[in-house]
């Protein structure tokens, strides 16, 4: 079974929102195996205000995050159990390499394949291609766990 997702469907599964939702479309998910997703890079993105104005390049951490989001979608469609109290988090990043700069106008083609899934841990071999060439890659381990609840550390009542 092959699954495709548009942006509205992606937002049903990932908690990320603008400006940090980094998947625009999913072209293929084969549950338990692989995912192929896309991120369209445009000059209008806020990251280019400071990275770098005269030479806009997608930061490596954004590339890793995009690969991680694709991997999270694959894990979800492969049986990761998430609900209102449980989410998926990056636990480890290994063998990360950046091979080619990604600039506005590029389409990041994100792939991830499951290397190992066991006890709520997902080891994912992730790659990012542009123009048919490998731009970056990483072995990302993700885990499911409780959502972090925000707490208010200071209120005006505390001073009373």
């Amino acid at each position: 079974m092959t699954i495709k997702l548009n942006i509205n469907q992606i937002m049903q599964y990932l908690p990320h929102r603008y400006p940090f939702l980094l998947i625009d479309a999913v072209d293929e998910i084969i549950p338990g195996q692989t995912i192929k997703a896309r991120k369209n890079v445009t000059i209008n993105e806020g990251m280019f205000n400071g990275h770098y104005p005269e030479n806009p390049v997608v930061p490596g951490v954004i590339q890793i995050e995009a690969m991680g989001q694709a991997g999270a979608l694959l894990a979800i469609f492969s049986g990761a159990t998430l609900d209102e109290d449980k989410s998926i988090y990056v636990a480890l990043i290994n063998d990360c390499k950046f091979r080619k700069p990604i600039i506005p106008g590029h389409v990041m083609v994100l792939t991830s394949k499951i290397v190992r899934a066991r006890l709520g841990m997902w080891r994912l071999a992730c790659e990012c291609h542009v123009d048919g060439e490998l731009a970056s890659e990483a072995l990302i381990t993700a885990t499911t766990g409780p959502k972090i609840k925000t707490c208010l550390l200071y209120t005006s009542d505390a001073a009373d």
Side-chain angles (χ1 to χ4, degrees), residues 90-144:
V90 171
L92 189 63
I93 300 167
N94 288 106
D95 303 325
C96 184
K97 295 180 181 88
F98 302 99
R99 302 181 180 279
K100 177 181 174 155
I102 300 173
I103 61 173
H106 279 157
V107 176
M108 295 168 56
V109 177
L110 306 157
T111 60
S112 182
K113 74 175 182 175
I114 295 173
V115 175
R116 183 175 183 184
R118 186 172 169 213
L119 302 172
M121 299 286 288
W122 301 83
R123 185 165 299 145
L124 305 157
C126 302
E127 295 183 344
C128 176
H129 291 81
V130 293
D131 295 332
E133 293 182 41
L134 183 62
S136 57
E137 61 185 316
L139 185 61
I140 297 175
T141 302
T143 185
T144 56

Side-chain angles (χ1 to χ4, degrees), residues 5-8 10 21-26 37-41:
L5 301 173
N6 64 38
I7 190 64
N8 294 319
I10 291 166
L21 178 59
L22 301 173
I23 306 288
D24 293 322
V26 174
R38 284 180 281 135
K39 161 73 176 134
N40 300 306
V41 180

